[in-house]
Amino acid sequence: MSVRAVAFDCDGVLADAGSSWAVIHSHFGTGDATLLKAFLNREISDEEFMRDDIGQWKKVQPKIHRDELFRCYSGVRLMEGARDVVELLKERGVHVVIISAGVDLFVSTIASMLAVDDWASNGFSYDDEGYLMDEGVCRVPAWDKGEMIQKLIRINGFDPSEVVSVGDSSMDLSMHVPGSKFIGFNPTRDEAHLAFEEADVPVVPGPDLRDIWPILFHGEKFPKDV
Ligand SMILES: [Mg+2]
């Protein structure tokens, strides 16, 4: 079996930021732990969660321009080793994609920095002048990221066994479609630790993405020293 495609989660895997939604919350001084918990417990939908987030920001500042949102991400860095890993995967002809329930403004930047083959994420809608509308756009349901993996397999004619997904949260386990592989990366929340353990998937405990290499390629060490 060889690896032909790797699907990465973005926030907390390729990007060194726990959540691209939380980055905007910290800009506006908002954020509601109760709702996050409700979302993690699957009590509210992606759409409800997004609408509520946007509502919180607009309560602080009624008109929010796209450029301001974009600037929120200026301080976010790539995860350690992310550039090297993606570069080398591509050198080996492996198809690299990002499947994120994060914010498109941010995920698209990471996608172009890393020159990945394809990406999908959630995001915002704007009026003609670029101001944020009340409803978010859900393309990647956080609890059903597997739909995108199935699409990836179908479009490219991969066998599921040739596809590996890498994620840092329990929701990312939805990428682990039957026959495919999954690597848990740097889980920071307790529920992620627990979910990975229960799912019996290999886990990289630390924040260096190069450590997924031996799991991807049968014990092979990451070949470049950077
Ligand atoms: Mg994540």
Side-chain angles (χ1 to χ4, degrees), residues 42 143 165 167-185 187 190-203:
R42 307 193 200 195
W143 286 103
S165 300
D168 71 321
S169 78
S170 53
M171 291 175 279
D172 293 326
L173 281 168
S174 64
M175 295 198 280
H176 192 194
V177 304
S180 72
K181 299 198 167 49
F182 183 90
I183 301 172
F185 176 75
D190 284 345
E191 47 93 24
H193 271 286
L194 209 68
F196 291 161
E197 210 172 285
E198 272 171 20
D200 198 23
V201 292
V203 175

